[in-house]
Short mmCIF file of all heavy atoms in Angstrom, two decimals:
data_model
loop_
_atom_site.label_atom_id
_atom_site.label_comp_id
_atom_site.label_asym_id
_atom_site.label_seq_id
_atom_site.Cartn_x
_atom_site.Cartn_y
_atom_site.Cartn_z
N ALA A 114 -23.96 -4.98 0.35
CA ALA A 114 -24.82 -4.14 1.19
C ALA A 114 -24.37 -2.68 1.23
O ALA A 114 -25.01 -1.85 1.86
CB ALA A 114 -24.84 -4.70 2.62
N MET A 115 -23.31 -2.37 0.53
CA MET A 115 -22.73 -1.03 0.58
C MET A 115 -23.38 -0.11 -0.44
O MET A 115 -23.59 -0.49 -1.59
CB MET A 115 -21.21 -1.13 0.31
CG MET A 115 -20.44 0.13 0.60
SD MET A 115 -18.68 -0.07 0.17
CE MET A 115 -18.25 -1.55 1.07
N ARG A 116 -23.68 1.10 0.00
CA ARG A 116 -24.18 2.14 -0.89
C ARG A 116 -23.13 3.25 -1.03
O ARG A 116 -22.10 3.22 -0.36
CB ARG A 116 -25.50 2.72 -0.35
CG ARG A 116 -26.57 1.67 -0.10
CD ARG A 116 -27.05 1.02 -1.39
NE ARG A 116 -28.11 0.05 -1.14
CZ ARG A 116 -27.92 -1.27 -1.02
NH1 ARG A 116 -26.68 -1.77 -1.12
NH2 ARG A 116 -28.94 -2.08 -0.81
N GLU A 117 -23.41 4.22 -1.86
CA GLU A 117 -22.39 5.25 -2.15
C GLU A 117 -21.92 5.97 -0.90
O GLU A 117 -20.72 6.19 -0.71
CB GLU A 117 -22.94 6.26 -3.16
CG GLU A 117 -21.90 7.29 -3.59
CD GLU A 117 -22.42 8.23 -4.66
OE1 GLU A 117 -23.52 7.98 -5.21
OE2 GLU A 117 -21.73 9.23 -4.94
N GLU A 118 -22.86 6.34 -0.02
CA GLU A 118 -22.46 7.06 1.19
C GLU A 118 -21.66 6.16 2.14
O GLU A 118 -20.79 6.62 2.88
CB GLU A 118 -23.68 7.64 1.91
CG GLU A 118 -24.65 6.60 2.47
CD GLU A 118 -25.72 6.19 1.47
OE1 GLU A 118 -25.48 6.35 0.24
OE2 GLU A 118 -26.79 5.71 1.91
N ASP A 119 -21.93 4.84 2.09
CA ASP A 119 -21.18 3.90 2.92
C ASP A 119 -19.76 3.73 2.38
O ASP A 119 -18.80 3.61 3.13
CB ASP A 119 -21.88 2.54 2.96
CG ASP A 119 -23.34 2.66 3.37
OD1 ASP A 119 -23.63 3.48 4.26
OD2 ASP A 119 -24.18 1.93 2.80
N GLU A 120 -19.65 3.69 1.05
CA GLU A 120 -18.33 3.56 0.44
C GLU A 120 -17.46 4.77 0.80
O GLU A 120 -16.27 4.62 1.12
CB GLU A 120 -18.46 3.43 -1.07
CG GLU A 120 -17.13 3.20 -1.77
CD GLU A 120 -17.29 2.79 -3.21
OE1 GLU A 120 -17.67 3.65 -4.04
OE2 GLU A 120 -17.05 1.61 -3.52
N TYR A 121 -18.06 5.94 0.78
CA TYR A 121 -17.30 7.14 1.15
C TYR A 121 -16.85 7.08 2.61
O TYR A 121 -15.70 7.41 2.92
CB TYR A 121 -18.14 8.39 0.92
CG TYR A 121 -17.48 9.66 1.43
CD1 TYR A 121 -16.37 10.20 0.78
CD2 TYR A 121 -17.95 10.29 2.58
CE1 TYR A 121 -15.76 11.34 1.26
CE2 TYR A 121 -17.34 11.44 3.06
CZ TYR A 121 -16.24 11.95 2.40
OH TYR A 121 -15.62 13.08 2.89
N ALA A 122 -17.72 6.63 3.50
CA ALA A 122 -17.36 6.54 4.92
C ALA A 122 -16.22 5.55 5.12
O ALA A 122 -15.29 5.81 5.90
CB ALA A 122 -18.58 6.13 5.75
N ASN A 123 -16.28 4.41 4.43
CA ASN A 123 -15.19 3.44 4.50
C ASN A 123 -13.88 4.06 4.03
O ASN A 123 -12.84 3.92 4.69
CB ASN A 123 -15.53 2.23 3.61
CG ASN A 123 -16.30 1.15 4.32
OD1 ASN A 123 -15.74 0.25 4.94
ND2 ASN A 123 -17.63 1.23 4.24
N ALA A 124 -13.93 4.74 2.88
CA ALA A 124 -12.71 5.30 2.30
C ALA A 124 -12.13 6.41 3.17
O ALA A 124 -10.91 6.51 3.35
CB ALA A 124 -13.00 5.83 0.90
N LEU A 125 -13.00 7.27 3.72
CA LEU A 125 -12.52 8.36 4.56
C LEU A 125 -11.84 7.82 5.81
O LEU A 125 -10.75 8.28 6.20
CB LEU A 125 -13.69 9.26 4.94
CG LEU A 125 -13.34 10.59 5.61
CD1 LEU A 125 -12.60 11.51 4.65
CD2 LEU A 125 -14.61 11.28 6.13
N LEU A 126 -12.46 6.83 6.45
CA LEU A 126 -11.85 6.22 7.64
C LEU A 126 -10.54 5.53 7.28
O LEU A 126 -9.56 5.62 8.03
CB LEU A 126 -12.83 5.22 8.26
CG LEU A 126 -12.37 4.56 9.56
CD1 LEU A 126 -12.22 5.59 10.68
CD2 LEU A 126 -13.34 3.45 9.96
N ALA A 127 -10.50 4.86 6.13
CA ALA A 127 -9.28 4.19 5.70
C ALA A 127 -8.14 5.18 5.50
O ALA A 127 -7.01 4.95 5.94
CB ALA A 127 -9.53 3.41 4.41
N CYS A 128 -8.43 6.30 4.84
CA CYS A 128 -7.39 7.30 4.59
C CYS A 128 -6.87 7.89 5.89
O CYS A 128 -5.66 8.10 6.07
CB CYS A 128 -7.92 8.40 3.68
SG CYS A 128 -8.25 7.88 1.98
#
Side-chain angles (χ1 to χ4, degrees):
M115 192 183 307
R116 305 294 182 263
E117 184 176 350
E118 65 272 22
D119 307 321
E120 184 168 72
Y121 173 71
N123 271 272
L125 190 66
L126 183 65
C128 292

